[in-house]
Amino acid sequence: MPELPEVETVRRGLEPVMQGARFAAVEARRRDLRWPLPSDFAARLQGQAVTGLVRRAKYLLVDLSSGEVLLMHLGMSGSFRVAHDCGQRTHERTQHLTHDHVVFHMSNGARIAFNDPRRFGSMKLIRRAELEQEPLLRALGPEPLGNAFDAALLAGACAGKKTSLKAALSDQRVVAGLGNIYVCEALYRARLSPKRSAATIATRGGGPNERAQALVEGIRAVLNDAIAAGGSSLRDHKRTDGELGLFQHHFAVYDREGRRCPRRGCGGTIKRIVQGARSTFFCPVCQR
DNA sequence: AAAAGCCCCTGGACGC
DNA sequence: TGCGTCCAGGGGCTTT
């Protein structure tokens, strides 16, 4: 499921119920997520206050009063659902869903359940002082919505690459947070073919060209639009309140094989190809 | 070092 | 209705 807009939507849903609250109790109903949870996982969270909740790429980082950071990734099918432990209709609101693997009971009465059928998601506790050295975060490229991300940076990261532009944008070391959907949609907005060599958005010296600029604008625009819509809901993604994101209704190319290209005057037909064992959707007429 | 495969896991859609 | 097959929004690890 979740790419940057969905993870950001989850972060915004969790923030009001986590920020400033303490972990009153933690249930690790299954410890075999992507990696096993440590045996003292619940004990290290219990009693800690949340002092911050930020997103980095597709990771969520929960700052704890203990000086540790709870690092979480939703994998392909992870989601959070917020309910309340107290109040009437408690039974109905807090019913257990299949694949609720971890449940946080917060001091403010919020019950936060992490649900993940495929268990590609992960949770990890690390010392805040060691965040810089964390292997999962260390190699991540720039935040696409951050100030540092621009055409020069993207062109520099693509210069000399032997891979396709699709593969380069999917590489979290080049730019952090895009996945299969938003790579396809960003390339569409920039009118660039996913098959194009990544190196062609840089000049010989590694500097940016007009394609890099268009791509940066396409990436930022599609991510901002998707966040504003609450992300995309295909199979799994739901917001923390259980509502669906709406951006899937605005896909130009993703999962639209055979449909007419929505660009005015284009008239092309959306095509599906396979790159790196994953589907790519694009318009072969206006994306070059 | 970079790039390409392999694999983790469950469930939904589809064809027969 | 029941099966088998394929596919899915990610990314770490291993192999080339």
Side-chain angles (χ1 to χ4, degrees):
Chain A
M1 140 197 161
E3 306 182 28
L4 187 153
E6 290 75 38
V7 179
E8 178 60 24
T9 299
V10 169
R11 192 198 70 76
R12 293 179 184 189
L14 291 179
E15 189 165 46
V17 289
M18 291 192 91
Q19 178 71 46
R22 282 178 297 101
F23 288 88
V26 173
E27 297 175 65
R29 300 172 53 81
R30 268 192 91 134
R31 32 189 12 102
D32 56 332
L33 301 181
R34 167 106 202 221
W35 302 292
L37 296 175
S39 54
D40 58 356
F41 179 76
R44 283 157 72 181
L45 285 173
Q46 194 144 358
Q48 301 309 318
V50 174
T51 60
L53 175 55
V54 299
R55 178 192 55 75
R56 171 75 173 108
K58 300 172 194 170
Y59 289 93
L60 291 168
L61 289 82
V62 184
D63 271 302
L64 307 172
S65 50
S66 60
E68 288 199 295
V69 177
L70 173 61
L71 182 61
M72 308 193 288
H73 196 289
L74 302 177
M76 288 278 269
S77 59
S79 63
F80 282 97
R81 189 67 177 277
V82 175
H84 292 276
D85 273 337
C86 52
Q88 44 189 341
R89 296 167 69 202
T90 294
H91 176 72
E92 181 185 342
R93 287 178 173 196
T94 62
Q95 66 178 323
H96 251 117
L97 273 57
T98 313
H99 305 304
D100 275 357
H101 303 313
V102 179
V103 183
F104 302 135
H105 299 271
M106 307 304 291
S107 56
N108 55 15
R111 175 190 187 275
I112 304 171
F114 175 67
N115 186 278
D116 186 8
R118 293 175 74 176
R119 305 203 307 281
F120 290 166
S122 59
M123 293 190 188
K124 190 173 178 180
L125 280 165
I126 53 180
R127 301 291 316 168
R128 170 144 201 86
E130 286 156 25
L131 208 54
E132 302 292 308
Q133 277 67 246
E134 169 53 42
L136 297 175
L137 304 176
R138 208 185 162 135
L140 289 174
E143 281 292 320
L145 297 178
N147 291 330
F149 182 67
D150 62 12
L153 200 61
L154 184 59
C158 289
K161 280 219 170 277
K162 297 282 191 279
T163 54
S164 67
L165 198 46
K166 165 81 187 299
L169 294 182
S170 304
D171 185 341
Q172 301 299 295
R173 296 169 300 184
V174 171
V175 54
L178 300 179
N180 210 32
I181 291 177
Y182 297 106
V183 167
C184 291
E185 294 294 319
L187 285 167
Y188 171 80
R189 292 191 183 210
R191 300 186 176 223
L192 293 170
S193 169
K195 297 192 283 187
R196 166 186 286 280
S197 162
T200 62
I201 69 158
T203 59
R204 223 187 302 275
N209 56 31
E210 67 286 348
R211 300 185 199 106
Q213 185 59 43
L215 196 44
V216 164
E217 288 167 14
I219 289 168
R220 300 181 92 118
V222 75
L223 294 178
N224 281 322
D225 289 351
I227 290 170
S232 306
S233 294
L234 268 51
R235 292 160 191 79
D236 301 315
H237 170 67
K238 284 198 174 67
R239 304 166 10 154
T240 55
D241 56 8
E243 296 298 308
L244 299 173
L246 298 173
F247 193 68
Q248 66 278 12
H249 303 304
H250 299 282
F251 291 165
V253 293
Y254 185 82
D255 204 19
R256 295 179 62 83
E257 181 182 21
R259 309 279 287 272
R260 177 60 56 84
C261 171
R263 183 164 272 126
R264 275 179 75 88
C266 173
T269 301
I270 305 307
K271 195 175 166 192
R272 173 185 177 272
I273 59 173
V274 175
Q275 292 178 293
R278 290 202 155 92
S279 293
T280 300
F281 300 89
F282 72 111
C283 173
V285 176
C286 65
Q287 291 180 252
R288 295 305 181 134

